[in-house]
């Protein structure tokens, strides 16, 4: 796959910055239609080649690496009159040059290859560093977002310098490359400027929440956008604080990271979701969707040693990829597509690699296999790999970003390779956000930046085991890869989320908790989902209409406890996400409620409080049905659901439409909710119906005005309670029974069902159009009629 992608770039595009895989030609800035900010990565410096250099060494393509370095030194110029993104040029080009220098120097020192190399790539990196430095010429120390490679920022010819804002990640993702450049070149100016920008972001954090915003004014340090998350606009700021500690050995970076991380886990992380909140009021969620860039975060959590939420979020992301083939550029908290593009981003593969290395669980090899298969099936084209324009249609975009070669193939190759297959020890290096390799020996072999110590943070909470050390896989998982599975299983096979993005009204330590309700599909032998049924009992259905339903992991367990026949009432509002308006009508009945807008558990509590004795949830996704969609189990909201005691089942859209249509056509509809094997009227053998009876027996009349006489009850309901008649009851006098006294009161049932719900046993009549039988049923008996039921 790499050969196809890299070979296509070299054949059709080089020395252009990028390959256009559908057009089979290079993308040269100014010659193609302008794509806005995307083109800020292109600087006429053979971007894809430089970004790919150290990947060649990782993949053991040493001949190609040596040839590519010679081409870079011969062909690439860095003094072009072009305005580029400071952030993208730093991570892709400066990082690419430093990573390639690190690899070339390593090979040279071994005496096998690159004996001709005299640090030329490092000299190029230093030149580029000086061309980026003018961006830091601001009153705050935060860099301009763009710089002209030839004229800097404020030069009249620069065509830049009028910007006032930059993103947090743009300003905070310089320290690895700039510090490495300083320590390799001996020029401290690079590390000092990157450090100053980080200092400003730290000082400008919101002190109450310890969160940062997304966009900041580079002149006065005021926040322009105050939404806070771990995705686009902020992502690599957090990553670089953690990795700066690993690379440079400076505790200040780790203390800052840990402070932010506690805030992230308190306000933003709602496993498996990662939300965006308002930095000044983190109880407020600011949007109902997540962007794909946050897929790097589980990998960062692995470095932090916090494996449980990493496994949970990664599993959620994996289910999104299974649903949409790729991770959409943005997706809602109910896993629907928000933005359909997929520009072959590598962050999900990155986290997969980290989790496999931390857990040793072969599950993550299978995740990697799925990435490989989907790329080949849906992105591979004759001239490389093409970005997906919309995951819903599979349409391609004429684009193959350099990060696809720099990161995707590096992480996938490392995921599947053994250590002894590499030319070097991968643990001696740290990955930049572009997956370039920098040696961790820089923390001791080179002097740090002057004045690099700040006042130690005071009043920090007690740190955990991994605060000041890189996590050891033997400490985390001593030969126990099944540990990851136990965490993952709660979120495995997610197909949707039954919660709105707004906060639920359940306060927890002053913070509104936004929770997930997972739906678990039945796709493996390990996790069987036992189907339930909704059986329509009242005429004209008479038990012949049976709908397959999914169970809940909370509420009454219908496999162990029977519920009985009840009529259904549609909830108002239908989603049951606000105050119930028809509580009086619902009381004593089964509520019909539409999925969506809030959590299943929240709906259930609301309806239970309104007096409903059960809930049937109906899917809001049009066209869904049990024949084509695997059943799932509704899961609680993360807290205790012991207070929910009524039975809950879920119908897909098409089955739900049958039920609501029946209610529209017949003002009263009685239903049973029960396990599949206890379906009433189920035939077995040659002799007719088999009905399993515990505390409920149901009589299904076949005529409209048939008279049923109760005879010789030998075991009746204790006390003075009488048999209820659930629907259309007419009686000469209400039956009243006392233990041991048979009743002979005649009474009739019109278009309904005769129940014995509370008694330990009961006697009833069955009518089969001529065959009349009287049968006494004990709690543990099976009832078989002499003929038809």
């Amino acid at each position: 796959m790499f050969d196809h992608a890299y070979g296509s770039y070299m054949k059709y595009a080089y020395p252009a910055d990028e390959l256009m895989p559908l057009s089979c030609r290079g993308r040269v800035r100014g010659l193609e239609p302008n794509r806005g900010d995307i083109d800020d990565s292109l600087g006429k410096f053979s971007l894809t080649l430089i970004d790919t250099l150290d990947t060649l060494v990782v993949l053991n393509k040493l001949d190609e690496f040596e040839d590519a370095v010679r081409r870079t030194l011969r062909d690439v110029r860095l003094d072009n009159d072009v305005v580029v993104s400071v952030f993208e040029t730093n991570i892709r080009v400066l990082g690419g040059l430093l990573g390639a220098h690190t690899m070339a120097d390593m090979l040279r020192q071994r005496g096998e290859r690159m004996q001709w190399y005299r640090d030329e790539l490092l000299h190029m990196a230093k030149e580029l560093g000086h061309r980026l430095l003018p961006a830091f010429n601001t009153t705050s120390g935060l860099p301009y977002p763009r710089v002209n490679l030839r004229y800097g920022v404020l030069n009249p010819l620069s065509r830049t310098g009028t910007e006032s804002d930059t993103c947090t990640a743009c300003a905070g993702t310089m320290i690895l490359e700039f510090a490495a450049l300083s320590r390799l070149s001996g020029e401290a100016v690079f590390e000092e400027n990157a450090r100053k920008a980080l200092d400003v972001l730290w000082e400008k954090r919101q002190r109450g929440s310890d969160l940062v915003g997304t966009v900041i004014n580079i002149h006065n340090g005021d926040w322009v956008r105050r939404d806070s998350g771990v995705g686009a606009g902020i992502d690599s700021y957090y990553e670089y604080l953690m990795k700066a500690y690993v690379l440079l050995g400076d505790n200040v970076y780790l203390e800052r990271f840990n402070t932010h991380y506690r805030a992230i886990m308190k306000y933003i992380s709602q496993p498996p979701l990662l939300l965006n909140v308002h930095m000044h009021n983190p109880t407020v969620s600011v949007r109902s969707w997540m962007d794909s860039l946050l897929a790097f975060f589980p990998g960062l959590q692995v470095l932090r040693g916090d494996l449980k939420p990493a496994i949970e979020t990664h599993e959620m992301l994996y289910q999104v990829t299974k649903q949409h083939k790729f991770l959409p550029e943005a997706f809602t908290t109910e896993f629907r597509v928000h933005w359909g593009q997929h520009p072959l981003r590598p962050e999900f593969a990155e986290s997969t690699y980290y989790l496999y290395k931390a857990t040793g669980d072969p599950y993550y090899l299978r995740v990697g296999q799925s990435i490989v298969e989907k790329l080949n099936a849906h992105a591979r084209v004759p001239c490389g790999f093409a970005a997906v324009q919309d995951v819903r249609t599979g349409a391609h975009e004429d684009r193959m970003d350099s990060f696809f070669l720099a990161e995707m193939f590096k992480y996938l190759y490392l995921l599947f390779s053994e250590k002894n297959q590499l030319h070097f020890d991968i643990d001696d290096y740290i990955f930049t956000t572009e997956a370039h390799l920098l040696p961790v020996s820089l923390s001791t072999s080179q002097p740090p930046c002057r004045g690099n110590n700040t006042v130690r943070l005071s009043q920090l909470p007690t740190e955990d085991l991994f605060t000041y050390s890189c996590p050891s896989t033997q400490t985390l998982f001593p030969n126990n890869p099944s540990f990851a599975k136990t965490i993952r299983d709660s979120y495995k096979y997610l197909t949707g989320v039954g919660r709105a993005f707004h906060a639920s009204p359940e306060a927890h330590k002053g913070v509104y908790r936004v929770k997930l309700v997972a739906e678990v599909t039945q796709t493996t032998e390990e996790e069987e989902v036992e189907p339930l049924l909704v059986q329509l009992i009242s005429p004209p259905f008479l038990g012949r209409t049976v709908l397959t339903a999914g169970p809940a992991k909370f509420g009454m367990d219908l496999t162990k406890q029977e519920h009985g026949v009840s009529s259904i009432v549609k909830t108002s509002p239908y989603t049951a996400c606000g105050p119930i308006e028809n509580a009086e009508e619902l009381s004593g009945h089964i509520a019909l409620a539409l999925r969506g807008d809030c959590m299943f558990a929240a709906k259930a509590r609301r309806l239970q409080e309104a007096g409903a004795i059960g809930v049937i949830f109906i899917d809001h996704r049009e066209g869904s049905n049990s024949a084509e969609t695997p059943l799932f189990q509704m899961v609680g909201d993360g807290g205790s659901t012991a207070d929910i005691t009524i039975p809950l089942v879920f119908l897909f859209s098409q089955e739900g439409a049958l039920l609501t249509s029946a209610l529209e056509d017949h003002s009263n509809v009685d239903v049973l909710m029960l396990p599949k094997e206890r379906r009433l009227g189920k035939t077995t053998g040659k002799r007719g119906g088999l009905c399993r009876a515990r505390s409920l027996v149901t009589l299904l009349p076949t005529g409209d005005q048939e008279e049923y006489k109760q005879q010789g009850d030998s075991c009746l309901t204790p006390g003075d309670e009488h048999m209820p008649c659930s629907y259309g009851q007419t009686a000469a006098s209400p039956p009243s029974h006392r233990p041991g006294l048979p009743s002979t009161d005649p009474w009739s049932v019109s278009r309904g069902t005769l129940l014995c719900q509370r008694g330990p046993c009961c006697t009833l009549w069955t009518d089969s159009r001529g065959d009349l039988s009287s049968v006494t049923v004990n709690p543990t008996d099976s009832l078989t009629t002499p003929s038809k039921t």
Side-chain angles (χ1 to χ4, degrees):
M1 292 170 68
F2 174 83
D3 287 343
H4 179 62
Y6 179 68
S8 295
Y9 167 74
M10 296 304 295
K11 179 177 180 180
Y12 300 111
Y14 182 79
D17 283 316
E18 285 181 355
L19 168 68
M20 298 171 66
L22 302 182
S23 304
C24 298
R25 68 173 191 269
R27 182 181 296 279
V28 178
R29 191 166 172 179
L31 300 183
E32 303 295 336
N34 187 283
R35 300 178 299 168
D37 290 350
I38 297 176
D39 284 341
D40 287 347
S41 303
L42 312 180
K44 300 182 180 179
F45 36 34
S46 300
L47 172 65
T48 298
L49 178 68
I50 293 176
D51 219 0
T52 308
L53 288 174
D54 58 1
T55 305
L56 291 165
V57 180
V58 172
L59 271 64
N60 296 325
K61 297 183 174 296
L62 302 186
D63 290 336
E64 290 90 337
F65 173 70
E66 195 157 352
D67 175 67
V69 172
R70 291 185 185 275
R71 286 176 181 267
T72 300
L73 301 180
R74 183 189 69 205
D75 299 339
V76 174
R77 292 178 61 88
L78 299 171
D79 63 346
N80 304 310
D81 180 12
V82 60
V83 176
V84 296
S85 162
V86 173
F87 166 76
E88 296 287 359
T89 304
N90 173 63
I91 66 171
R92 300 200 203 191
V93 186
L94 182 58
L97 291 170
L98 291 171
H101 165 71
T102 298
M103 294 292 99
D105 187 53
M106 178 266 296
L107 293 171
R108 178 180 61 183
Q109 290 185 29
R110 291 186 177 179
E112 301 170 1
R113 290 178 174 272
M114 303 295 293
Q115 297 304 299
W116 56 269
Y117 180 66
R118 296 294 180 268
D119 297 341
E120 290 91 344
L121 292 171
L122 178 58
H123 298 318
M124 289 183 69
K126 187 163 65 171
E127 178 193 346
L128 182 59
H130 281 290
R131 293 186 181 281
L132 295 177
L133 275 180
F136 289 85
N137 188 19
T138 62
T139 54
S140 70
L142 297 170
Y144 282 95
R146 297 176 184 84
V147 67
N148 187 300
L149 289 174
R150 180 177 297 173
Y151 297 112
V153 174
L154 300 177
N155 188 299
L157 299 175
S158 68
R159 304 188 304 282
T160 187
T162 58
E163 302 95 342
S164 60
D165 306 329
T166 194
C167 73
T168 301
C170 300
T173 310
M174 308 292 291
I175 189 64
L176 292 189
E177 293 83 1
F178 269 42
L181 180 57
S182 283
R183 299 190 183 200
L184 290 169
S185 69
E187 296 188 24
V189 63
F190 304 110
E191 186 172 349
E192 288 170 353
N193 276 275
R195 173 60 186 252
K196 184 179 180 182
L198 282 179
D199 290 345
V200 175
L201 292 173
W202 173 249
E203 289 301 317
K204 294 297 180 179
R205 76 190 186 284
Q206 210 290 319
R207 301 302 176 95
S209 66
D210 283 323
L211 296 174
V212 293
T214 306
V215 177
I216 193 169
N217 184 291
I218 58 176
H219 301 298
N220 59 27
D222 290 342
W223 290 105
V224 178
R225 280 185 51 192
R226 293 176 172 82
D227 49 314
S228 187
V230 295
I234 302 179
D235 49 1
S236 48
Y237 163 66
Y238 294 133
E239 178 186 6
Y240 268 38
L241 284 176
M242 177 69 182
K243 290 182 175 179
Y245 165 68
V246 177
L247 180 69
L248 306 175
D250 188 339
N251 284 352
V252 169
Y253 296 118
L254 184 63
E255 290 164 3
R256 292 180 182 180
F257 172 79
N258 284 335
T259 300
H260 285 312
Y261 187 72
R262 280 187 290 272
I264 291 168
M265 298 310 291
K266 182 176 182 180
Y267 301 117
I268 292 170
S269 176
Q270 300 288 341
L273 303 182
L274 291 166
L275 307 171
N276 271 53
V277 300
H278 196 291
M279 63 179 287
H280 290 92
N281 185 5
T283 65
V284 177
S285 183
V286 296
R287 67 188 192 196
S288 59
W289 49 271
M290 297 173 281
D291 63 79
S292 64
L293 287 173
L294 60 75
F296 90 100
F297 197 68
L300 185 61
Q301 290 179 306
V302 171
L303 279 185
R304 174 65 175 72
D306 201 358
L307 268 291
K308 185 175 185 292
I311 291 168
E312 292 168 333
T313 297
H314 179 274
E315 184 61 29
M316 176 270 290
L317 295 168
Y318 183 38
Q319 300 312 317
V320 175
T321 66
K322 291 205 291 190
Q323 186 172 341
H324 300 296
K325 298 186 178 70
F326 298 103
L327 208 56
E329 194 73 334
F331 52 94
T332 70
T333 50
E334 292 195 340
F335 300 170
R336 296 192 190 91
V337 173
H338 185 71
W339 297 332
Q341 306 94 323
H342 174 71
L344 307 180
R345 292 204 185 277
E347 285 78 13
F348 179 63
E350 174 185 358
S351 287
T352 303
Y353 162 72
Y354 275 108
L355 276 167
Y356 178 64
K357 293 304 176 184
T359 65
D361 190 339
Y363 177 85
Y364 295 109
L365 294 178
R366 295 192 291 273
V367 174
Q369 178 184 353
S370 76
I371 297 172
V372 169
E373 291 171 347
K374 286 169 182 172
L375 286 171
N376 276 322
H378 304 291
R380 188 171 182 139
V381 294
C383 294
F385 289 80
V388 178
Q389 193 172 55
D390 194 318
V391 297
R392 291 163 291 196
T393 65
H396 286 133
E397 187 177 351
D398 203 3
R399 172 182 178 186
M400 189 180 84
D401 286 85
S402 67
F403 54 66
F404 184 58
L405 289 162
E407 300 184 67
M408 181 69 82
F409 292 112
K410 196 174 289 170
Y411 287 124
L412 288 176
Y413 185 83
L414 290 171
L415 172 65
F416 292 111
S417 64
E418 301 294 337
K419 274 193 171 186
N420 59 14
Q421 295 174 305
L422 302 177
H423 273 281
F424 55 92
D425 188 347
I426 195 69
D427 294 336
D428 290 339
Y429 299 86
I430 188 80
F431 291 107
T432 69
T433 196
E434 192 77 3
H436 294 305
L437 297 167
L438 298 177
V440 295
S441 60
L442 288 178
S443 62
T444 55
S445 63
Q446 304 292 337
C449 169
R450 293 190 300 273
N452 210 34
N453 294 318
T454 60
V455 177
R456 180 175 174 82
L457 299 175
S458 60
Q459 297 180 333
L460 285 177
T462 303
E463 305 293 357
D464 59 39
L465 176 64
F466 304 111
T467 297
Y468 291 100
S469 63
C470 296
S472 162
T473 55
Q474 282 304 303
T475 301
L476 292 172
F477 296 105
N479 302 314
N480 183 21
S482 65
F483 182 84
K485 181 180 183 301
T486 63
I487 300 172
R488 214 167 41 230
D489 280 352
S490 296
Y491 299 96
K492 208 168 183 179
Y493 312 116
L494 289 168
T495 59
V497 182
R499 49 156 238 103
F501 84 93
H502 52 73
S504 79
E506 299 174 28
H508 176 67
K509 295 181 181 178
V511 179
Y512 285 95
R513 303 172 67 192
V514 186
K515 299 173 184 174
L516 168 82
V517 176
E519 297 165 356
V520 187
T521 62
Q522 178 200 355
T523 56
T524 68
E525 296 178 359
E526 304 153 12
E527 188 154 2
E528 289 289 330
V529 176
E530 183 175 350
L532 298 176
L533 300 178
V534 174
Q535 188 168 15
L536 279 65
I537 299 300
S538 53
F541 309 104
L542 302 178
R544 294 187 291 269
T545 300
V546 181
L547 308 175
T548 301
K553 285 192 172 182
F554 59 102
M556 180 188 291
D557 185 352
L558 290 170
T559 66
K560 298 177 181 177
Q561 187 176 355
E562 287 170 344
H563 179 249
V565 175
S566 299
S567 56
I568 55 175
V569 174
K570 194 172 180 179
T571 303
S572 179
Y574 197 15
T575 59
C577 289
I580 303 302
E581 298 167 3
N582 61 336
E584 192 172 327
E585 186 183 359
L586 278 174
S587 182
H589 300 283
I590 295 174
L592 294 187
L594 189 67
R595 173 190 177 193
D597 289 351
C598 64
M599 300 170 288
F600 286 128
K603 297 172 190 276
R605 287 190 182 95
R606 218 170 266 123
L607 292 168
Q608 182 174 275
E609 290 170 5
I613 59 173
V615 183
I616 299 173
F617 295 110
I618 296 176
D619 197 0
H620 59 349
R621 297 174 300 169
E622 289 188 15
S624 66
N625 61 82
S626 61
E628 299 175 356
T629 310
L631 282 180
F632 61 81
Q633 297 182 78
M634 296 178 288
V635 178
D637 54 12
S640 173
T641 53
D643 58 317
I644 301 174
T645 58
I646 58 175
L648 313 164
V649 300
F650 180 90
L651 293 178
F652 287 110
S653 173
Q654 289 185 12
E655 286 84 352
L658 291 174
L659 191 59
T660 54
S661 176
L663 188 59
E664 290 171 4
D665 295 341
H666 308 276
S667 58
N668 287 317
V669 176
D670 291 349
V671 300
L672 272 174
M673 298 188 293
L674 70 171
K676 190 174 183 179
E677 71 271 11
R678 291 205 285 274
R679 167 184 169 182
L680 296 185
K682 176 181 175 183
T683 58
T684 61
K686 298 178 181 179
R687 294 197 59 84
L690 173 67
C691 174
R692 213 178 184 86
R694 289 184 182 173
S695 61
L696 165 69
V697 176
T698 305
L699 181 63
L700 303 175
T702 51
D704 286 353
Q705 293 288 339
E706 300 183 37
E707 186 175 10
Y708 295 86
K709 292 185 178 180
Q710 195 176 359
Q711 293 186 350
D713 289 332
S714 59
C715 46
L716 300 172
T717 304
D720 293 330
E721 298 178 9
H722 60 78
M723 279 188 185
C725 188
S726 73
Y727 173 75
Q729 172 177 311
T730 59
S733 61
S736 178
H737 305 298
R738 296 184 185 279
L741 295 178
S743 169
T744 55
D745 290 338
W747 58 306
S748 64
V749 181
S750 171
R751 297 175 60 85
T753 58
L754 182 63
L755 306 181
C756 171
Q757 285 182 291
R758 298 185 184 89
C761 58
C762 43
T763 298
L764 57 100
W765 282 95
T766 62
D767 179 16
S768 56
R769 291 296 182 188
D771 293 329
L772 213 56
S773 306
S774 177
V775 185
T776 299
V777 184
N778 290 315
T780 56
D781 285 347
S782 293
L783 165 62
T784 305
T785 61
S787 57
K788 301 175 185 177
T789 300

